Amino acid sequence: MNIAGYKLYSIETSRFALDGGTMFGIIPKVMWEKEAPSDDNNCIQLVTRSLLLVGHGRKILVDSGNGNKWKEKFKSIYNIDTDSVNIESSLKKYGFYTEDITDVFCTHLHFDHVGGNTTYSNGKLIPVFSNATYWVQNENWKLANSPSEKDQGSFMEHDWSVLAENGMIEFVDGKEQFLPNIDIELSYGHTIGMMLPKLSDNSEILIYMADLIPMAAHIPLPWIMSYDINSGLTLKEKNNLLPKAVEEDWTIFFEHDPVHEACKVQFDGKHFRLKRTVKISE
Ligand SMILES: [Zn+2]
């Protein structure tokens, strides 16, 4: 797929699992289990899926997934698998390498979105994308570095500390465009200042939904994760974006859906739903 002067690639960086009840908030298990089957621990299968944008002299990676800094204990809690798929193998599939990446767009600093930013080499923390500028929203940076009791488990300093020490982070304020032809939608329901990149030209509009709509099952309005710090606001934000997505026939890209990379959305008179799936990479 090509949009706004970029060629797009869907880059799967890990597989993992989270509690299905937490992923669907108030929705009863009898309903969500039809969309996402759970295992013996009540966990559902997820992926981390980045979007690579190649164009305008840049190779921009949107989010970097769980990464490989995990201790065995957490690896087993979240069932993190970076053996069958990882950032290196997925980039290589299209002839790219981590050192080619010029920019890393961090939607927000939760570990499953920026864990791949850094890694350990001989016990030393190093940037994975050695030649990249890492773009971070100021408000989310502040929260990540002084999180509440609810979200402190989602932020891990080793995902960004070495980047800050090396001066590799560029801080962004508000919705100002900082990369060519990429507009920013801001969201405050899931976390504070989550950035959703949006590309548009005359023929296509695509938005990377990050954790506002992490899977196709989260398209209906009340299907909202319990991780969100303000689910009422998430509802409002979905109510604002989804009618536009239907009307302007947007492609919405899913970071965590193990089956659907992206889709078009429809409104059936009662609910917003998946209309048809869209394949990003050829
Ligand atoms: Zn998140």
Side-chain angles (χ1 to χ4, degrees), residues 251-266:
T251 295
I252 66 171
F253 187 98
F254 301 115
E255 187 156 10
H256 292 313
D257 196 310
V259 180
H260 309 286
E261 272 180 9
C263 82
K264 301 285 185 185
V265 187
Q266 63 182 336

Side-chain angles (χ1 to χ4, degrees), residues 108 110 113 190 211:
H108 63 301
H110 285 166
H113 297 257
H190 174 67
D211 278 345

Side-chain angles (χ1 to χ4, degrees), residues 185 196 198-200 204-209 240-253 262-266 275-276 278:
E185 291 283 346
L196 312 178
K198 188 171 161 226
L199 302 166
S200 42
E204 183 68 80
I205 300 176
L206 178 140
I207 186 164
Y208 186 89
M209 276 297 180
N240 176 38
L241 277 188
L242 285 167
K244 284 188 239 167
V246 172
E247 198 181 309
E248 297 172 4
D249 201 30
W250 295 3
T251 295
I252 66 171
F253 187 98
C263 82
K264 301 285 185 185
V265 187
Q266 63 182 336
K275 183 179 178 187
R276 64 176 173 85
V278 175

Side-chain angles (χ1 to χ4, degrees), residues 7-157:
K7 188 165 170 52
L8 279 58
Y9 301 88
S10 168
I11 303 289
E12 209 171 293
T13 60
S14 73
R15 293 180 185 149
F16 72 125
L18 290 174
D19 186 89
T22 316
M23 283 302 289
F24 294 109
I26 60 161
I27 305 303
K29 185 173 180 180
V30 286
M31 289 175 75
W32 63 250
E33 207 173 28
K34 289 180 196 153
E35 306 295 327
S38 60
D39 65 17
D40 293 344
N41 292 323
N42 208 45
C43 289
I44 62 165
Q45 186 61 51
L46 301 168
V47 298
T48 52
R49 183 180 294 112
S50 300
L51 178 63
L52 175 67
L53 306 171
V54 179
H56 302 278
R58 294 175 189 257
K59 294 186 178 70
I60 303 165
L61 188 70
V62 180
D63 281 354
S64 62
N66 279 307
N68 60 10
K69 300 188 294 298
W70 295 92
K71 295 204 169 86
E72 280 310 316
K73 181 185 153 191
F74 289 98
K75 234 179 147 171
S76 79
I77 292 175
Y78 298 120
N79 211 359
I80 297 171
D81 168 16
T82 50
D83 294 327
S84 42
V85 64
N86 56 58
I87 184 76
E88 285 84 7
S89 66
S90 292
L91 285 175
K92 211 173 162 190
K93 216 166 95 183
Y94 301 110
F96 301 116
Y97 296 88
T98 51
E99 56 268 32
D100 297 335
I101 302 300
T102 59
D103 302 88
V104 180
F105 181 117
C106 303
T107 61
H108 63 301
L109 295 171
H110 285 166
F111 66 72
D112 52 327
H113 297 257
V114 293
N117 282 357
T118 62
T119 190
Y120 284 107
S121 171
N122 300 319
K124 202 174 149 246
L125 200 56
I126 59 161
V128 168
F129 308 99
S130 51
N131 297 312
T133 300
Y134 293 71
W135 299 88
V136 173
Q137 179 75 212
N138 239 322
E139 288 178 303
N140 197 249
W141 171 261
K142 282 182 195 143
L143 176 72
N145 286 283
S146 54
S148 73
E149 288 81 358
K150 177 170 177 178
D151 53 17
Q152 60 191 5
S154 304
F155 292 114
M156 303 200 174
E157 209 188 341

